[in-house]
Amino acid sequence: DPVPGRAAAAAAKFGVAAGYESYEELLRDPDVDLVTICSPIGLHYEQGVQAIEAGKHVHFNKTMTTTVAEADDLIRRAASGNVRIVASPGMMINPAARRKR
């Protein structure tokens, strides 16, 4: 949470070990092994690159990127950085969507 003090207050209230005021601060924490990216899809590539470069495993909520080239780049970066990445399949595993395909 970028509002000073709000992340710390929420962490204290819910018994969470840490709260962060920036994504970069979270990525610098050596106790963080994995991040889930739930931001707008247009930000996923940039935030994914940052996480991979920080040595974090990454779960992308919904679509990983907006282009195949960006997804391919993240896959290459993850392999080179020895981290795992995964994207939630979202609606594509929904039985109705599967029938439509």
Side-chain angles (χ1 to χ4, degrees):
D1 191 319
V3 176
R6 200 158 59 183
K13 179 179 179 180
F14 295 106
V16 176
Y20 308 94
E21 292 183 7
S22 73
Y23 183 58
E24 293 76 15
E25 182 184 0
L26 175 134
L27 294 178
R28 286 191 299 271
D29 186 337
D31 292 329
V32 173
D33 298 318
L34 165 99
V35 297
T36 295
I37 298 179
C38 304
S39 57
I41 294 169
L43 300 174
H44 286 193
Y45 174 73
E46 177 185 337
Q47 292 174 339
V49 168
Q50 288 176 288
I52 292 166
E53 288 179 354
K56 311 300 183 189
H57 302 290
V58 185
H59 166 253
F60 295 92
N61 188 19
K62 300 181 201 155
T63 306
M64 188 162 58
T65 64
T66 58
T67 70
V68 172
E70 289 176 346
D72 287 344
D73 185 53
L74 288 176
I75 292 166
R76 278 192 298 277
R77 288 173 185 264
S80 295
N82 199 30
V83 299
R84 305 268 180 173
I85 61 174
V86 65
S88 296
M91 292 300 295
M92 295 317 298
I93 64 169
N94 179 293
R98 293 176 67 104
R99 284 190 301 274
K100 290 174 188 171
R101 280 198 316 186

